[in-house]
Amino acid sequence: MAESLPEHERILQEIESTDTACVGPTLRSVYDDQPNAHQRFMEKLDACIRNHDREIEKMCNFHHQGFVDAITELLKVRADAGKLKVQVTDTNRRLQDAGKEVIAQTEEIIRCRIQQRNITTVVEKLQLCLPVLEMYSKLKEQMNVKRYYSALKTMEQLENTYLPRVSQYRFCQIMIENLPKLREEIKEISMSDLKDFLESIRKHSDKIGETAMKQAQQQKTFNTALQKQNNVNYGRNMYVINGRVPEPKYEITFKRTLEEEDEHEEEVLTAHDLVDFSPVYRCLHIYSVLGDGETFENYYRKQRRKQARLVLQPQSSMHETVEGYRRYFSQIVGFFVVEDHILHVTQGLVTRAYTDELWNMALSKIIAVLRTHTSYCTDPDLVLELKNLIVVFADTLQGYGFPVNRLFDLLFEIRDQYNETLLKKWAGLFRDIFEADNYSPIPVANEEEYKIVISKFPFQDPELDKQSFPKKLPMSQSVPQIYIQVKEFIYASLKFSESLHRSSTEIDDMLRKSTNLLLTRTLSSCLQNLIKKPHIGLTELVQIIINTTHLEQACKYLEDFITNITNISQETVHTARLYGLSTFKDARHAAEGEIYTKLNQKIDEFIQLADYDWTMSEPAGRASGYLMDLINFLRSTFQVFTHLPNNNNDHAAMSGKVAQTACMSACQHLSTSLMQMLLDSELKQISMGAVQQFNLDVIQCELFASSEPVPGFHGDTLQLAFIDLRQLLDLFMVWDWSTYLADYGQPTSKYLRVNPSTALTLLEKMKDTSKKNNIFAQFRKNDRDKQKLIETVVKQLRSLVNGMSQHT
């Protein structure tokens, strides 16, 4: 209890000294104490209140007299306050009267101040509005002078900076409503300008492309001249062109090229010089500012794709002239030069991926077009000019970063076609040369003429050099002309192989392959056709054989010629060889075969003139006239072979071999033809007199064979061609049937070459004649046993023939 009393006093002190708002925690502590603490606190509080009441009462008693004194003093002052009020009222009235004028002036001042404030406000608002109006006026002016990109920037400033400051005004709302319409107007105008631009570049594409290709060609010429100048400095192999050594003019060409480059240096034009690209820049910027750049890009690319398809569509007659191809390539180059320019000066309008895709599409179309149109071209000069155009076209676009490997692959296809057109052209040249040739050795009257010939054709013959003028070269005029034309063909083929970005080895290989085609196909075909011509006689055929020999020997000089112009060593492992050896060897074989064929045909013509009386009783006593004419023809023909100019051992051996083979072939064919004449199924009867006359003709043939019409036969080799006829005729002339039948089948038989069937056929024809003309009558009269012997021989021959058939 004693402890709680000091605590209650402390709480009361806190209540008295603490702000009323903070007394809550203090009062809560009263309830947190011991039980009945609240009652005790209330009692303590009541005691404290009573103490304070007593103190207040003491204080009031102490100050009561002073309060009474103050009230007394206040009552005394009331009268003086009334007087003062009257004086103040009078003073106020006088003051009011005196201030009426001041009030009027003050009100005027206030009104002026209000006007001034309003004017100031108006000026401030106008200062805010004037920039808006000035910007809008500027916008209208920019629209009038077609500065649309600046107009859009002005609109952007109006919307973002100026109009928000004065948006409460009605004219600003009108402006705000007009701005979208102006934007649409600008879009339409810029799109119209873009369309005009697209139409303009479509019209100027060929000019742009022509300029770009011309610049690429000039650059290439300059680089080539520079390279050749460097080659001159290090030395260069010279070669003979149809007997003339070209002078080194590379330095002159190089200087001239440098001078031309200096002259045209200031005239170099670009796509930007030829076409005003500002519409596309402006339109791109306008659509970008309007946030519609993607729409513009899509529209531009779509329209350019359409133009690309139009550019890639060639004219139907493009293949007829080189100008058609040049115009086609110029348009394509112009198109892609513009795209490349757009790619590098704009961001995002076209991309490298887009141009690559467009180029790949165009390249496929270009290759297809060129394949189609070049297939119609038959002029090698036009194909060569087209090749040069394609190379310049490819080099130009490659300079702008477009891949052109497929174009050079196409050139290899065109090269094959070019070679075909060359082969056709040279086939005509070869035919003309062969038609104009007289097929006689070339006569040279003096040293000058001789040098002219050997300058055209690599001919060397020490034996001929020792002879004095005039003299004759073994070949005819066609040989040097063919050699020159083959070299010209190599040059023509080389022209196409240049600038194909291929190594010298590849060019050398291409030249050799095309030359091989010329030799093995074109020249070979012309030679074969020439040999088959009816007007080509035996002398001409022999000259053709000699010509082909010299052309074959000249092939090694053609190989050296190709090596010189390509600077490829002959020791190169993969270097192809010329197939002239087989070409001219085949031509010689064909000519030889034609000689044999023509001889045989001539023999057949003479034999067709034969007019035997197969029933004559006695021979005429001399050989038949047709046969003597035939032998005289053969003798004169082989004399031509013998008297051909054989200036060296090779020619002599060749001519001798051909003559020997021809002579042997002629004798064999003559023997066979005579045998067939005897055994002809249409010939039913032959008299002994006819056999004797036939024997006289065969004797003349044997005499011709033994007279050695062609030197070089050993012994009676040539006479063996008539051995079958001789044994058959001897058998009938001697009537030596007993020997024939007894020795048949023996290697030493006198009539070894007489076939039983041949003997039986001839014997039956003679038997039929005996029945009609009584040729065998004397035998029947003198000795009937001989007639029986004939019957017996016929039977034995038939048995031999039947035995041979069974054995076979």
Side-chain angles (χ1 to χ4, degrees), residues 677-695:
M677 188 185 299
L678 280 177
L679 303 179
D680 189 3
S681 59
E682 295 183 359
L683 179 61
K684 303 298 182 182
Q685 300 174 357
I686 300 178
S687 66
M688 181 56 72
V691 172
Q692 292 171 351
Q693 179 65 42
F694 200 81
N695 181 58

Side-chain angles (χ1 to χ4, degrees), residues 467-527:
Q467 299 179 13
S468 60
F469 292 98
K471 51 188 174 182
K472 292 184 177 181
L473 302 182
M475 79 288 291
S476 66
Q477 289 288 352
S478 62
V479 172
Q481 293 175 0
I482 291 294
Y483 183 78
I484 290 172
Q485 288 303 322
V486 172
K487 291 174 68 175
E488 292 296 333
F489 176 87
I490 294 172
Y491 275 123
S493 183
L494 176 64
K495 287 179 181 179
F496 195 95
S497 301
E498 292 174 342
S499 305
L500 292 185
H501 304 287
R502 289 296 185 270
S503 65
S504 299
T505 304
E506 292 176 297
I507 293 177
D508 181 89
D509 188 60
M510 287 188 289
L511 288 181
R512 292 176 185 272
K513 288 180 179 179
S514 58
T515 306
N516 279 330
L517 281 177
L518 179 73
L519 296 177
T520 59
R521 196 172 78 183
T522 304
L523 183 55
S524 176
S525 176
C526 291
L527 284 171

Side-chain angles (χ1 to χ4, degrees), residues 7 12 34 69 150 168 229 238 270 314 374 385 396 415 539 642 712 735 770-772:
E7 180 66 20
L12 290 175
Q34 300 175 359
D69 293 337
S150 300
Q168 67 274 20
Q229 174 68 13
M238 303 301 296
T270 63
T374 53
E385 290 185 28
T396 303
R415 178 179 60 86
T539 305
T642 304
W735 207 254
S770 66
K771 290 180 181 179
K772 187 173 183 180

